[in-house]
Amino acid sequence: MSLNRRHWLTAAGATVTSLWLAGCDKLATNSTFTGVLRVAEKWTYRAQRLVADRNALAAEFTPADISKDFKANGTLRPQDDEYTELMAGGFADYRLVVDGLVERPLELTLGQVRALPSRTQITRHDCVEGWSSIGKWKGARLSALLAQAKLKPEAKYIVFHCFDTLEQTLDGSGRYYESIDLVDAMHPQTILAYEMNDATLPVRHGYPLRLRVERQLGYKHAKYVMRIEAVSDFSQIGRGQGGFWPDRGYEWYAGI
Ligand SMILES: Nc1nc2c(c(=O)[nH]1)N[C@H]1C(S)=C(S)[C@@H](COP(=O)(O)O)O[C@H]1N2
Ligand SMILES: [Mo]
Protein backbone atom coordinates (compact mmCIF):
# COMPACT_ATOMS: atom_id res chain seq x y z
CA MET A 1 0.00 0.00 0.00
CA SER A 2 1.45 3.37 -0.92
CA LEU A 3 1.83 6.14 1.62
CA ASN A 4 -0.53 8.28 -0.43
CA ARG A 5 -3.29 5.71 -0.22
CA ARG A 6 -2.71 5.45 3.53
CA HIS A 7 -3.07 9.21 3.92
CA TRP A 8 -6.21 9.14 1.80
CA LEU A 9 -7.67 6.44 4.05
CA THR A 10 -6.94 8.48 7.17
CA ALA A 11 -8.49 11.55 5.55
CA ALA A 12 -11.62 9.58 4.59
CA GLY A 13 -11.91 8.31 8.15
CA ALA A 14 -11.58 11.83 9.55
CA THR A 15 -14.29 13.15 7.22
CA VAL A 16 -16.76 10.47 8.31
CA THR A 17 -15.98 11.15 11.99
CA SER A 18 -16.54 14.89 11.65
CA LEU A 19 -19.78 14.36 9.70
CA TRP A 20 -20.84 12.05 12.49
CA LEU A 21 -20.05 14.65 15.12
CA ALA A 22 -21.94 17.26 13.06
CA GLY A 23 -25.19 15.53 14.05
CA CYS A 24 -26.06 12.00 13.08
CA ASP A 25 -29.84 12.29 13.26
CA LYS A 26 -30.08 14.82 10.50
CA LEU A 27 -27.43 13.08 8.41
CA ALA A 28 -28.77 9.56 8.77
CA THR A 29 -31.71 10.43 6.53
CA ASN A 30 -29.41 12.05 4.00
CA SER A 31 -28.60 9.71 1.13
CA THR A 32 -25.24 11.36 0.36
CA PHE A 33 -24.14 10.63 3.90
CA THR A 34 -25.18 6.96 3.71
CA GLY A 35 -23.26 6.80 0.46
CA VAL A 36 -20.16 8.20 2.15
CA LEU A 37 -20.54 5.65 4.95
CA ARG A 38 -20.82 2.81 2.49
CA VAL A 39 -17.68 3.93 0.67
CA ALA A 40 -15.87 4.28 4.01
CA GLU A 41 -16.95 0.77 5.03
CA LYS A 42 -15.64 -0.63 1.78
CA TRP A 43 -12.33 1.17 2.30
CA THR A 44 -12.04 -0.02 5.90
CA TYR A 45 -12.72 -3.57 4.75
CA ARG A 46 -10.08 -3.33 2.04
CA ALA A 47 -7.58 -1.77 4.45
CA GLN A 48 -8.20 -4.60 6.92
CA ARG A 49 -7.76 -7.17 4.17
CA LEU A 50 -4.47 -5.55 3.19
CA VAL A 51 -3.25 -5.63 6.79
CA ALA A 52 -4.47 -9.23 7.25
CA ASP A 53 -2.55 -10.16 4.12
CA ARG A 54 0.56 -8.44 5.43
CA ASN A 55 0.28 -10.36 8.71
CA ALA A 56 0.42 -13.68 6.84
CA LEU A 57 3.64 -15.64 7.24
CA ALA A 58 6.23 -15.77 4.47
CA ALA A 59 6.93 -19.27 3.13
CA GLU A 60 9.31 -21.35 5.22
CA PHE A 61 11.52 -24.14 3.89
CA THR A 62 13.24 -27.32 5.08
CA PRO A 63 16.93 -27.77 5.98
CA ALA A 64 17.41 -29.59 2.64
CA ASP A 65 16.43 -26.37 0.82
CA ILE A 66 19.17 -24.22 2.40
CA SER A 67 21.42 -22.68 -0.29
CA LYS A 68 24.97 -24.04 -0.33
CA ASP A 69 26.27 -20.63 -1.25
CA PHE A 70 24.06 -17.82 0.08
CA LYS A 71 25.02 -14.76 -1.95
CA ALA A 72 26.18 -11.68 -0.03
CA ASN A 73 25.38 -8.20 -1.36
CA GLY A 74 26.04 -4.52 -0.65
CA THR A 75 28.55 -3.94 2.14
CA LEU A 76 30.52 -7.10 2.88
CA ARG A 77 32.67 -5.61 5.68
CA PRO A 78 32.09 -2.11 7.05
CA GLN A 79 35.22 0.06 6.83
CA ASP A 80 33.86 2.62 9.30
CA ASP A 81 36.01 3.38 12.36
CA GLU A 82 33.36 2.51 14.94
CA TYR A 83 32.87 -0.95 13.46
CA THR A 84 36.60 -1.59 13.07
CA GLU A 85 37.24 -0.61 16.70
CA LEU A 86 34.43 -2.77 18.03
CA MET A 87 35.72 -5.68 15.93
CA ALA A 88 39.18 -5.28 17.48
CA GLY A 89 37.57 -5.72 20.90
CA GLY A 90 35.50 -8.75 19.85
CA PHE A 91 32.35 -6.59 20.05
CA ALA A 92 32.44 -6.68 23.87
CA ASP A 93 31.73 -2.92 23.89
CA TYR A 94 28.86 -3.16 21.40
CA ARG A 95 25.54 -1.82 22.65
CA LEU A 96 22.36 -1.98 20.61
CA VAL A 97 20.76 1.41 21.18
CA VAL A 98 16.95 1.58 21.12
CA ASP A 99 15.69 5.16 21.34
CA GLY A 100 13.43 7.79 19.80
CA LEU A 101 9.69 7.58 20.63
CA VAL A 102 10.01 4.97 23.41
CA GLU A 103 9.21 5.17 27.13
CA ARG A 104 12.32 3.23 28.10
CA PRO A 105 15.40 3.77 25.91
CA LEU A 106 17.68 0.71 25.93
CA GLU A 107 21.36 -0.07 25.47
CA LEU A 108 21.71 -3.82 25.17
CA THR A 109 24.80 -6.00 25.03
CA LEU A 110 24.81 -8.84 22.50
CA GLY A 111 24.21 -11.21 25.43
CA GLN A 112 21.08 -9.29 26.37
CA VAL A 113 19.85 -9.38 22.77
CA ARG A 114 20.42 -13.15 22.72
CA ALA A 115 18.41 -13.47 25.95
CA LEU A 116 15.29 -11.97 24.32
CA PRO A 117 12.53 -14.31 23.04
CA SER A 118 13.80 -15.65 19.70
CA ARG A 119 12.53 -17.23 16.51
CA THR A 120 14.26 -19.55 14.04
CA GLN A 121 13.13 -19.70 10.42
CA ILE A 122 14.29 -21.00 7.05
CA THR A 123 13.27 -18.42 4.46
CA ARG A 124 14.06 -17.22 0.96
CA HIS A 125 15.84 -13.91 0.51
CA ASP A 126 14.87 -12.11 -2.72
CA CYS A 127 17.11 -9.32 -3.93
CA VAL A 128 15.71 -6.67 -6.25
CA GLU A 129 18.59 -7.50 -8.62
CA GLY A 130 16.92 -10.83 -9.38
CA TRP A 131 18.72 -13.46 -7.29
CA SER A 132 17.36 -15.48 -4.36
CA SER A 133 18.99 -17.61 -1.65
CA ILE A 134 17.50 -19.73 1.14
CA GLY A 135 18.97 -19.52 4.63
CA LYS A 136 18.21 -20.39 8.23
CA TRP A 137 18.05 -17.47 10.63
CA LYS A 138 17.82 -17.25 14.38
CA GLY A 139 17.25 -13.92 16.09
CA ALA A 140 15.49 -11.83 18.70
CA ARG A 141 11.87 -11.04 17.92
CA LEU A 142 11.67 -7.33 17.17
CA SER A 143 8.21 -7.27 18.84
CA ALA A 144 9.78 -8.45 22.12
CA LEU A 145 12.51 -5.82 21.96
CA LEU A 146 9.97 -3.07 21.27
CA ALA A 147 7.74 -4.34 24.09
CA GLN A 148 10.72 -3.90 26.43
CA ALA A 149 11.34 -0.36 25.17
CA LYS A 150 7.59 0.48 25.17
CA LEU A 151 6.66 2.45 22.08
CA LYS A 152 5.00 5.80 22.64
CA PRO A 153 1.61 6.20 20.91
CA GLU A 154 3.14 8.62 18.36
CA ALA A 155 5.59 5.98 17.08
CA LYS A 156 4.71 4.93 13.52
CA TYR A 157 7.95 3.64 12.03
CA ILE A 158 11.02 1.79 13.23
CA VAL A 159 14.32 2.98 11.75
CA PHE A 160 17.44 0.79 11.62
CA HIS A 161 20.71 2.70 11.63
CA CYS A 162 23.67 0.71 10.33
CA PHE A 163 27.44 0.92 10.82
CA ASP A 164 28.35 0.96 7.13
CA THR A 165 28.75 3.79 4.67
CA LEU A 166 27.80 2.43 1.26
CA GLU A 167 28.34 5.67 -0.63
CA GLN A 168 30.90 8.33 0.29
CA THR A 169 29.10 11.69 0.45
CA LEU A 170 30.01 15.01 2.06
CA ASP A 171 26.82 15.20 4.14
CA GLY A 172 26.95 11.67 5.55
CA SER A 173 23.82 10.58 3.65
CA GLY A 174 25.69 7.51 2.38
CA ARG A 175 25.22 5.68 5.68
CA TYR A 176 23.00 2.62 5.25
CA TYR A 177 19.64 2.74 7.03
CA GLU A 178 16.18 1.34 6.56
CA SER A 179 12.72 1.68 8.08
CA ILE A 180 9.54 -0.38 8.43
CA ASP A 181 6.05 0.32 9.76
CA LEU A 182 4.51 -1.27 12.85
CA VAL A 183 2.71 -4.00 10.88
CA ASP A 184 6.09 -5.38 9.84
CA ALA A 185 7.76 -4.51 13.16
CA MET A 186 5.24 -6.67 15.06
CA HIS A 187 5.18 -9.50 12.48
CA PRO A 188 6.26 -12.81 14.09
CA GLN A 189 8.96 -13.43 11.44
CA THR A 190 10.56 -10.01 11.91
CA ILE A 191 13.73 -10.70 13.85
CA LEU A 192 17.15 -9.26 14.58
CA ALA A 193 19.21 -12.22 13.44
CA TYR A 194 22.47 -13.13 15.18
CA GLU A 195 22.78 -16.67 13.74
CA MET A 196 22.75 -17.91 10.17
CA ASN A 197 22.65 -21.61 9.29
CA ASP A 198 23.31 -22.58 12.95
CA ALA A 199 26.50 -20.51 13.24
CA THR A 200 27.31 -16.96 14.38
CA LEU A 201 26.15 -14.50 11.73
CA PRO A 202 29.11 -14.02 9.34
CA VAL A 203 30.47 -10.49 8.86
CA ARG A 204 29.47 -10.40 5.17
CA HIS A 205 25.85 -11.14 6.17
CA GLY A 206 25.65 -8.38 8.81
CA TYR A 207 27.43 -9.33 12.02
CA PRO A 208 26.53 -8.75 14.81
CA LEU A 209 22.84 -8.11 14.05
CA ARG A 210 20.81 -7.92 10.85
CA LEU A 211 17.13 -7.43 10.29
CA ARG A 212 15.00 -10.14 8.70
CA VAL A 213 11.70 -8.72 7.45
CA GLU A 214 10.55 -11.66 5.39
CA ARG A 215 7.63 -10.12 3.50
CA GLN A 216 9.90 -7.57 1.80
CA LEU A 217 12.81 -7.48 -0.64
CA GLY A 218 16.47 -7.82 0.34
CA TYR A 219 17.40 -4.16 0.64
CA LYS A 220 14.94 -3.74 3.56
CA HIS A 221 16.96 -6.31 5.59
CA ALA A 222 19.39 -3.89 7.25
CA LYS A 223 22.75 -5.50 8.09
CA TYR A 224 25.22 -4.20 10.76
CA VAL A 225 22.46 -2.70 12.91
CA MET A 226 23.77 -0.37 15.62
CA ARG A 227 20.71 1.67 16.58
CA ILE A 228 16.96 1.26 16.39
CA GLU A 229 14.93 4.45 16.49
CA ALA A 230 11.14 4.78 16.81
CA VAL A 231 9.84 7.79 14.86
CA SER A 232 6.53 9.32 13.79
CA ASP A 233 7.94 10.34 10.43
CA PHE A 234 11.25 9.76 8.63
CA SER A 235 11.46 12.89 6.49
CA GLN A 236 14.42 14.24 8.52
CA ILE A 237 16.51 11.05 8.25
CA GLY A 238 18.98 10.56 5.38
CA ARG A 239 17.43 12.09 2.28
CA GLY A 240 13.93 11.61 3.69
CA GLN A 241 12.60 8.55 1.84
CA GLY A 242 13.04 6.05 4.69
CA GLY A 243 16.07 4.09 3.51
CA PHE A 244 19.39 4.14 1.67
CA TRP A 245 17.88 2.62 -1.50
CA PRO A 246 14.50 4.38 -1.18
CA ASP A 247 16.54 7.63 -1.06
CA ARG A 248 17.92 6.53 -4.44
CA GLY A 249 14.60 5.80 -6.14
CA TYR A 250 13.54 2.37 -4.89
CA GLU A 251 10.13 1.78 -3.28
CA TRP A 252 9.94 2.33 0.48
CA TYR A 253 7.50 -0.58 0.75
CA ALA A 254 9.07 -3.47 -1.12
CA GLY A 255 6.48 -6.23 -0.61
CA ILE A 256 7.00 -9.67 -2.15
N1 LIG B 1 23.85 -2.26 6.23
C1 LIG B 1 23.54 -2.78 5.02
N2 LIG B 1 22.45 -3.55 4.92
C2 LIG B 1 22.12 -4.08 3.73
C3 LIG B 1 22.86 -3.82 2.55
C4 LIG B 1 24.02 -3.00 2.70
O1 LIG B 1 24.75 -2.72 1.74
N3 LIG B 1 24.32 -2.50 3.95
N4 LIG B 1 22.47 -4.36 1.34
C5 LIG B 1 21.07 -4.81 1.23
C6 LIG B 1 20.79 -5.64 0.06
S1 LIG B 1 20.53 -4.88 -1.42
C7 LIG B 1 20.59 -6.99 0.19
S2 LIG B 1 20.09 -7.95 -1.13
C8 LIG B 1 20.87 -7.68 1.45
C9 LIG B 1 21.95 -8.70 1.24
O2 LIG B 1 22.10 -9.48 2.38
P1 LIG B 1 23.21 -10.60 2.35
O3 LIG B 1 24.54 -9.94 2.08
O4 LIG B 1 23.14 -11.30 3.67
O5 LIG B 1 22.83 -11.51 1.20
O6 LIG B 1 21.28 -6.80 2.49
C10 LIG B 1 20.64 -5.57 2.47
N5 LIG B 1 21.02 -4.86 3.67
MO1 LIG C 1 19.42 -6.43 -2.71
Side-chain angles (χ1 to χ4, degrees):
M1 177 162 66
S2 77
L3 279 177
N4 285 343
R5 174 125 52 103
R6 196 191 315 269
H7 285 148
W8 194 88
L9 276 173
T10 317
T15 309
V16 171
T17 313
S18 48
L19 278 173
W20 192 257
L21 290 172
C24 28
D25 288 351
K26 218 186 333 176
L27 285 164
T29 53
N30 175 321
S31 63
T32 316
F33 177 64
T34 5
V36 168
L37 261 189
R38 235 177 255 135
V39 169
E41 259 169 29
K42 210 160 123 193
W43 271 104
T44 310
Y45 175 70
R46 275 197 213 161
Q48 274 166 0
R49 269 229 325 235
L50 279 171
V51 171
D53 184 53
R54 289 192 45 202
N55 279 324
L57 294 183
E60 294 193 14
F61 298 81
T62 71
D65 301 317
I66 294 173
S67 304
K68 303 259 174 315
D69 195 9
F70 196 112
K71 197 173 146 72
N73 205 24
T75 300
L76 305 183
R77 176 178 284 270
Q79 299 302 314
D80 305 67
D81 291 346
E82 242 181 309
Y83 191 85
T84 311
E85 277 161 31
L86 283 169
M87 189 59 100
F91 269 80
D93 293 334
Y94 173 86
R95 296 292 180 275
L96 173 65
V97 172
V98 184
D99 63 2
L101 297 172
V102 295
E103 307 282 359
R104 252 186 298 164
L106 307 171
E107 285 196 14
L108 303 182
T109 63
L110 283 175
Q112 288 171 320
V113 174
R114 285 171 166 273
L116 286 166
S118 70
R119 193 176 197 280
T120 302
Q121 57 208 29
I122 301 176
T123 51
R124 194 188 62 220
H125 178 100
D126 297 324
C127 175
V128 73
E129 292 166 4
W131 56 269
S132 298
S133 298
I134 293 177
K136 179 176 178 181
W137 307 97
K138 180 181 180 187
R141 292 173 186 260
L142 185 64
S143 60
L145 179 73
L146 296 177
Q148 196 164 319
K150 288 197 96 212
L151 289 179
K152 291 187 177 174
E154 313 90 86
K156 284 211 184 77
Y157 305 100
I158 307 299
V159 180
F160 301 85
H161 298 277
C162 305
F163 280 106
D164 57 314
T165 302
L166 191 51
E167 185 188 339
Q168 298 295 335
T169 58
L170 291 177
D171 62 357
S173 64
R175 241 321 150 87
Y176 207 92
Y177 77 103
E178 256 302 338
S179 62
I180 58 176
D181 66 12
L182 297 187
V183 177
D184 272 326
M186 299 306 164
H187 190 285
Q189 288 170 321
T190 301
I191 59 174
L192 284 170
Y194 43 76
E195 272 183 26
M196 180 189 189
N197 299 339
D198 297 312
T200 302
L201 184 66
V203 168
R204 67 184 180 287
H205 292 296
Y207 180 86
L209 293 175
R210 69 93 52 80
L211 179 67
R212 294 299 309 168
V213 49
E214 305 291 355
R215 307 292 312 277
Q216 295 205 51
L217 288 173
Y219 61 83
K220 301 297 292 186
H221 301 230
K223 307 196 282 188
Y224 317 110
V225 175
M226 60 172 193
R227 173 178 169 222
I228 294 177
E229 183 188 11
V231 300
S232 59
D233 138 79
F234 45 66
S235 61
Q236 300 306 309
I237 301 172
R239 296 179 188 166
Q241 301 304 308
F244 178 92
W245 286 114
D247 279 346
R248 288 158 181 80
Y250 286 81
E251 291 286 334
W252 172 77
Y253 185 75
I256 39 179

